[in-house]
């Protein structure tokens, strides 16, 4: 019924208890999970999980927050993406919240990922925080719409969501949409077309209500769907069915 479109089950908080993680997924009707790369040094861990579990997919990329790590090239990303379980490029994007100063390296890294996604025709997983204008500008300049993708863990305005959708991107909501102070984000979740929406956990972070303060995991993604369903006045099953279809339409390599 549900798919977690963005998680990090290779991170230490979850990697040591994978039987429990997959058991909860099964009990909560979460059929698949996309494990997201944040640095090339840890990419082998993600591929190992994707190869070991038929319901786990992988991405390849370097997170914009990771300054002191191997800088990817277009050719390297394309080569690593040439694997049947790798369905996306990223996570990539811009983050002006955690890092300050001259961030031109971050913008160049973002351009590299977009060029790789266009070259291998796999969608992008984009992170943006306090950087929406530059994120959208670079997406347009680099013709990111040719690859498509998703704005993950979305926390921006409706105007930003609509601009990304116009470029052919999906909008993914995390457990943040369940937080008490996320009124504006719930309004975005109520307004955008369901046909352009995904759901995620970003686990082990951002556990949704009623699990705030706990280690997040893919089995909790149902609570994201339930909150979106509540604000839209539709059944959670409808949110699950449509976002699952959206996942397989976007990440066509997963079909």
């Amino acid at each position: 019924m549900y798919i977690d479109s963005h998680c990090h089950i290779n991170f230490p908080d979850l990697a040591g208890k994978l039987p429990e993680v997959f058991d909860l997924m099964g009990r909560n009707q979460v059929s698949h999970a996309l494990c997201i790369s944040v640095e090339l040094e840890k990419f082998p861990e993600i591929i190992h999980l994707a190869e070991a579990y038929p319901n786990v997919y992988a991405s390849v990329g370097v997170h914009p927050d990771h300054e002191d790590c191997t800088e990817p090239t277009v050719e390297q990303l394309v080569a690593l993406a040439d694997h049947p379980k790798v369905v996306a490029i990223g996570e990539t994007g811009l983050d002006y919240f955690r890092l300050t100063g001259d961030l031109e390296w971050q913008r160049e890294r973002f351009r590299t990922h977009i060029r790789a996604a266009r070259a291998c025709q796999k969608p992008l997983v984009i992170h943006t925080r306090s950087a929406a204008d530059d994120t959208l500008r670079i997406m347009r300049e680099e013709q990111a719409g040719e690859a498509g993708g998703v704005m993950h863990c979305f926390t921006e305005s409706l105007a930003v969501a609509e601009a990304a959708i116009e470029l052919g991107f999906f909008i993914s909501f995390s457990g943040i949409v369940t937080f008490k102070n996320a009124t504006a984000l719930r309004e975005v979740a109520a307004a955008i077309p369901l046909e352009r929406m995904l759901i995620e956990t970003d686990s082990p972070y951002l556990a949704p209500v009623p699990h705030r303060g706990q280690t997040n995991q893919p089995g909790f993604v149902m609570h994201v769907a339930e909150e979106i369903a509540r604000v839209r006045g539709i059944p959670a099953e409808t949110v699950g069915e449509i976002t699952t279809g959206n996942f397989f339409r976007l990440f066509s390599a997963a079909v």
Side-chain angles (χ1 to χ4, degrees):
M1 184 182 297
Y2 306 107
I3 291 180
D4 185 356
S5 68
H6 192 115
C7 63
H8 304 281
I9 58 174
N10 64 306
F11 283 13
D13 287 349
L14 295 175
K17 55 179 184 180
L18 288 179
E20 175 186 327
V21 168
F22 286 108
D23 177 67
L24 184 64
M25 284 176 63
R27 286 189 283 116
N28 287 351
Q29 297 182 282
V30 181
S31 63
H32 296 79
L34 174 51
C35 189
I36 300 293
S37 170
V38 296
E39 59 184 19
L40 296 186
E41 288 81 357
K42 298 294 181 65
F43 178 68
E45 296 178 358
I46 295 173
I47 281 295
H48 174 75
L49 286 171
E51 291 175 340
Y53 297 95
N55 62 335
V56 174
Y57 298 103
S59 75
V60 59
V62 181
H63 195 288
D65 284 352
H66 289 228
E67 187 171 5
D68 299 318
C69 61
T70 300
E71 196 64 38
T73 65
V74 170
E75 295 75 17
Q76 188 176 24
L77 290 170
V78 169
L80 292 172
D82 187 23
H83 186 288
K85 294 301 290 286
V86 175
V87 300
I89 300 293
E91 122 182 45
T92 183
L94 302 176
D95 193 318
Y96 297 170
F97 180 81
R98 293 189 181 91
L99 298 175
T100 58
D102 183 2
L103 297 179
E104 184 59 26
W105 63 269
Q106 211 179 74
R107 291 184 283 275
E108 285 304 308
R109 179 185 291 174
F110 187 25
R111 293 181 189 276
T112 294
H113 283 76
I114 297 173
R115 292 166 188 171
R118 290 177 59 200
C120 68
Q121 281 300 291
K122 291 189 176 180
L124 290 149
V125 176
I126 294 181
H127 168 111
T128 183
R129 189 171 185 191
S130 302
D133 289 346
D134 277 0
T135 299
L136 290 169
R137 174 179 61 82
I138 291 173
M139 288 168 68
R140 295 187 182 105
E141 290 174 356
E142 296 292 338
Q143 299 176 298
E146 289 187 6
V150 57
M151 311 298 286
H152 114 86
C153 195
F154 192 81
T155 56
E156 302 293 337
S157 67
L158 178 59
V160 172
E162 290 174 337
I165 289 170
E166 186 176 347
L167 289 171
F169 278 70
F170 288 75
I171 307 299
S172 181
F173 295 96
S174 71
I176 292 174
V177 79
T178 72
F179 294 179
K180 184 178 179 180
N181 63 351
T183 302
L185 185 60
R186 283 188 284 276
E187 291 173 357
V188 177
I192 69 167
L194 270 175
E195 291 70 23
R196 306 304 299 181
M197 185 184 297
L198 296 177
I199 55 176
E200 64 171 273
T201 60
D202 203 12
S203 52
Y205 312 117
L206 304 174
V209 175
H211 300 287
R212 283 206 71 177
Q214 300 177 24
T215 299
N216 202 4
Q217 54 179 303
F220 292 161
V221 77
M222 60 180 290
H223 299 298
V224 178
E226 289 168 349
E227 182 61 20
I228 292 168
R230 187 188 68 79
V231 300
R232 296 183 74 106
I234 59 176
E237 292 81 2
T238 300
V239 176
E241 179 182 356
I242 293 176
T243 56
T244 292
N246 293 343
F247 178 92
F248 286 114
R249 189 163 82 251
L250 175 60
F251 301 112
S252 58
V255 177

